[in-house]
Structure formats: C-alpha cells, structure tokens
Amino acid sequence: MAESVSDSSVAADLAAMTEKLTKVVQRLRPGSRVENIVRLTGGANQQMWSFDVVGQGDALPVVFRQASSWNQGAEGIMSLENEAVLIGRAGKAGLPVPEVYEVLKPEDGLGSGYLMARISGETLPPKILRESRFATARSKLAGQCGEVLAGIHQLPVGDLGFLRKLTPAEMLEALYQEYQSYEEPRPMFELAFRWLRDHVPADPDTLALVHGDFRHGNLMVDESGLASVLDWELAFLGDPMADLGWLCVNSWRFGNIDLPVGGFGTREQLFKGYRAAGGQSPDPQRVRFWEILGTLRWGVMCQGMAASFVAGHDTSPERGAIGRRASEVEVDLLRELVPIPERRAFNAGFA
Amino acid sequence: MQGLPDNTALLASVEAFLKDQVIPGLDGAGSFRARVSANVLGMVRRYLEQGGVDGAHDEREMLTQLTGKKGTLLGQTAELCHQIAEREVALDDPRLQEYLWRTILARVAVDQPNYSGYKRAVEQWEAAADSLTAPLSDDEPFNPLSGER
C-alpha cells in the first residue's frame, strides 16, 4: 500500500524513534547516544536499521531489527523476542551469529525487536561469487556451511516451546495448500508435488532444529569465509536435511549451475564439512528430496509475489518481475523430473 | 495494423535508453529498480516477438490431445493439473513429457532467456531434437513451442 508522507514527517518520526532508542542503548552503555542512523530494509511491518552507539570508548556498531507489535504472532512467523532467544542460544554454542545486545521491552514504545552486533561482511551473491577478494572464502565456504549446519542441527532446543514441529509430509502438504491458495494451475508443479508425495522420506529419528532459510542473503561472508548466519525467524523442528537441500536450489547458484552449493561449492564439500562437525552422514537421496521440495517452495513463493502484485498490494516492477520467476522453477523441475521423450508424441496438425 | 516502427522495436528502444542513458546516472537503489524495469520491458518484448507463431494455439492442441477435453487455455491447464493430481495420467506418458518441455521452454524464453537452468535445458532439448522436430536451421531464433528456428 502506498503511503503519502512528507519529508518533514519522516524526519520527525526518525527524531522520535532516535529519542526512544537512546533510552534503550543507555541500558547497554550508560551516557551513550545514537548516531548515524539509517534504514537498511523495511516494509510496513518490519524494518532493519543501522546505527552507532557513541559515548566513552569505541563506537559500537549496531543493527536494530524492529517489527510493529500488532503484526506479531502471524502464522508461522516467529516473534522477534523468540528469534533473539534462538540467536543467543546459537551464539552460546559457538556458532557464527551476531551477538544480541538488548531486547526491546513494551515500555520502550518501539514495538518489538532487538539490537545486535553489526557484523562487517557481504551478503550480495554477485559480489561473493565474482569478486577476487572472496576467492579464498569461496574455496572454503561449502565446507564451512556444512560445519555450521551440523552445529545448528545439534543445538539443544528441547526447552524452546515456541518452535513448531513439522514432519516432511506435513511440510509438503502445507506447501501444496499454499500453492492451491494462489489458484494459478501449473502442471509442472502438480507433477513435482506428486513425485514428492511418492518419495517422502521416513520421519527422522529425532526432529532437529532446522534454520529454515539457510542460503545467500542470510549468509554474511568475509574474506575468510562464513562470518555470520542471519534471519532465524523461519526456524522450526524438523528433518535437518531440509537445510542442506534448500542451500542447493539452482536459483541460489546465480549462474554457477555446476556448483550446487550456493554457486560456490560441491555437495561433497558440504557433506564432508557436515560429517567433520559431528553431523550424521547425509543421505544424498534424502537431500535430493529436499532440494526438489526447496525448488518448488521457491516457485510457490514466486507465485505469492505474483498474487500480491495482482491483488494490488505491491505493484512495483520488482514485485512483478519476481512473480514471473516461477517459470525458472518449472524449468529446473523439468530437468530434474521429466525425461525428454524419444520421439514425437503428438499427432501432426500443429507446429 | 499499426504503422512502423513495430511494437517490439519501440520497446527495444526504451530498454536501450534505460540501460545506456538512464541507469549509469543513478545511485544503487535507483539503478537496481531501473534495471529491473528494463528487464520487465524485455519480457514483454520477447512475448510479442514470440506471439507471431500463435503459441497458444499449439498449446491448446497439445492439451486437447493430452486431456481429451476442449476449453479455454486456463480451463484445459486446470484440467491437466487435476488429472496429474488424481493420477489419471502417468508421469511417463510421452505426451505429458513433450507438452511440459515445449511449453516451459517457451515460457522461460520470454521470462528469463539467460537463466542458467533454461540454457542447460535448451542444450538438452536441442541434442534430442533430431528425433523430435524438423531439421533446424541457424538463421532464426530458436522457438521451443514450435520446435523450429
């Protein structure tokens, strides 16, 4: 929905927010103040800001993740308070995550959210995959992803009651319902759903913590490799191999089609890192199931983007263009699941 | 019929203007949005270029033979989805396979002809094309829907 706001009201809002934030950062560092605040990303419901906490000693670089409080509790989305708890848990286990500095309280008047360390690094895939300064990082990244994923999947989270439990079959059916809700029939998607139903793996012996969105954009990379794993709000308890399959979806290879792990590594490197960090030995067939389900999941997400464009919620060219990316998923599923017939199957009369 | 220049030439002209004149002068976010906008114009231009072969006619003919039912393109597509979900069509039915290959390649040729998965699929399709299509010549762009250049 387009909002009409003048520059002066934006400036007033920012000043009011900075004043409230100053009280929050003073819990962290008494006498400090907020400087260099800029919005990094944002929609109507959730925003990310960057600023520095300045006072005595070195400035503390901070990222502020904030959501409107009335948006909390939406189905399937973890609250930011719970996300902060989960990131704290991962950090305690030595996994690369930003340190959480402070969680908002209701009396702060800023909705819900938390402040965390601003890690320096790169998340943009074209830079990570092409720039020479990341050459060393690229050679290690798939193995590091395996190691970090094994660590995530071994995190003790039995006491975190906010995590949803989802078996493979439940995930598949939830995705099918989402696909059907968009009312845009795609025979390739139907075929893939049928193939997935025919190949659902047995439930894992124990459901593990699954990150849920472990891919480019959420992986902060520096010259020495994986520096930080971001965005934990889609985490759940399920089949840990789901994270490995999602990381291999072709849409995240950005043209490096023969390097299945994010366009920077091989499955063998990923699996080797996973085993080295104490994870089970990944079953390639199970990972393939999740790669195909992940491919389809991206396709259904694109249909969701198209639906929001068509409904008039966001009619920007970016939103429309992402909607059209559902067809890239069709061609990837086609190569995976549909052999080319040996001879022409249709009667002549056309083409 | 419209006069000259063609619709597709007009779109190509605006795409070139955006890419060569406008985008170099924009900052990060503006440049990104303008590039996406130029790409969207390219999508529409390629659709119009492909439209000359009446792809929808071929697609409906395939769907009629495949599902045994006539109707609108959307109705026939929904019917095929239903038959796949209800297991009324076998996944190794060569007509289903050929329909999917032809229509999906045609669709991505419009949406994203530089997509890695599309380029790989076209290589596979062309390698198999001898048994599937009339001989290909090199002077026209590949048209997956008709299988002709």
Side-chain angles (χ1 to χ4, degrees), chain A:
Chain A
M1 210 73 75
E3 283 175 308
S4 173
V5 284
S6 68
D7 286 352
S8 64
S9 86
V10 170
D13 287 349
L14 189 58
M17 190 174 87
T18 303
E19 197 182 316
K20 290 172 179 169
L21 271 174
T22 303
K23 289 179 184 157
V24 178
V25 301
Q26 288 180 349
R27 291 207 292 268
L28 196 61
R29 286 193 175 180
S32 62
R33 60 187 187 278
V34 170
E35 283 191 5
N36 305 322
I37 186 161
V38 275
R39 188 150 116 169
L40 299 175
T41 61
N45 303 327
Q46 210 180 93
Q47 290 114 39
M48 291 249 277
W49 303 81
S50 161
F51 60 83
D52 297 320
V53 178
V54 179
Q56 289 167 341
D58 293 338
L60 184 70
V62 165
V63 167
F64 171 41
R65 199 155 146 85
Q66 182 202 28
S68 315
S69 30
W70 47 264
N71 188 47
Q72 292 289 288
E75 200 181 341
I77 302 288
M78 191 183 296
S79 75
L80 290 183
E81 287 88 347
N82 288 339
E83 189 187 25
V85 170
L86 193 55
I87 293 175
R89 185 69 58 95
K92 226 171 164 181
L95 293 169
V97 287
E99 184 182 348
V100 176
Y101 292 139
E102 194 68 40
V103 178
L104 293 183
K105 297 172 181 171
E107 58 266 31
D108 294 327
L110 285 164
S112 70
Y114 56 90
L115 311 187
M116 62 181 155
R118 189 167 80 234
I119 310 272
S120 49
E122 186 56 72
T123 58
L124 289 175
K127 297 194 171 184
I128 294 169
L129 296 180
R130 315 264 185 266
E131 289 187 0
S132 58
R133 67 192 171 109
F134 293 117
T136 308
R138 281 194 294 273
S139 67
K140 294 191 284 186
L141 209 42
Q144 290 175 332
C145 285
E147 289 166 22
V148 170
L149 281 170
I152 293 173
H153 298 159
Q154 292 170 84
L155 272 184
V157 289
D159 57 319
L160 302 184
F162 58 82
L163 292 168
R164 298 167 297 149
K165 291 190 176 76
L166 281 169
T167 66
E170 285 168 347
M171 280 189 74
L172 180 55
E173 287 319 304
L175 190 63
Y176 191 64
Q177 281 181 15
E178 188 184 345
Y179 157 72
Q180 284 194 310
S181 76
Y182 297 132
E183 297 184 331
E184 188 198 14
R186 288 185 183 262
M188 188 63 241
F189 286 12
E190 290 283 355
L191 188 154
F193 276 115
R194 183 166 147 188
W195 184 92
L196 288 163
R197 287 193 184 116
D198 290 345
H199 294 82
V200 182
D203 292 350
D205 297 336
T206 49
L207 297 183
L209 177 69
V210 179
H211 178 278
D213 202 11
F214 195 94
R215 56 157 167 161
H216 278 299
N218 295 332
L219 305 178
M220 179 75 81
V221 174
D222 63 19
E223 282 78 356
S224 57
L226 184 55
S228 195
V229 180
L230 312 173
D231 265 4
W232 290 68
E233 65 181 353
L234 295 178
F236 63 96
L237 298 175
D239 183 345
M241 293 302 107
D243 276 335
L244 279 67
W246 182 237
L247 182 58
C248 293
V249 167
N250 188 40
S251 294
W252 326 141
R253 299 180 203 169
F254 294 87
N256 296 349
I257 191 168
D258 294 314
L259 290 173
V261 182
F264 50 74
T266 65
R267 291 187 187 85
E268 292 68 31
Q269 292 170 324
L270 176 73
F271 294 174
K272 193 176 165 196
Y274 196 83
R275 282 190 300 266
Q280 56 174 293
S281 188
D283 168 6
Q285 285 310 310
R286 190 179 270 265
V287 176
R288 177 167 188 255
F289 170 88
W290 287 110
E291 181 179 327
I292 289 169
L293 188 143
T295 304
L296 190 51
R297 175 184 168 198
W298 169 237
V300 174
M301 286 163 73
C302 292
Q303 287 190 298
M305 299 284 180
S308 85
F309 184 99
V310 172
H313 299 312
D314 180 348
T315 53
S316 65
E318 297 96 299
R319 185 56 65 99
I322 296 184
R324 281 288 190 91
R325 290 185 63 182
S327 63
E328 82 187 31
V329 163
E330 291 183 311
V331 84
D332 285 331
L333 294 170
L334 184 70
R335 288 185 302 112
E336 282 294 327
L337 301 178
V338 184
I340 298 175
E342 282 174 18
R343 60 185 70 82
R344 291 204 57 162
F346 289 101
N347 299 330
F350 68 93

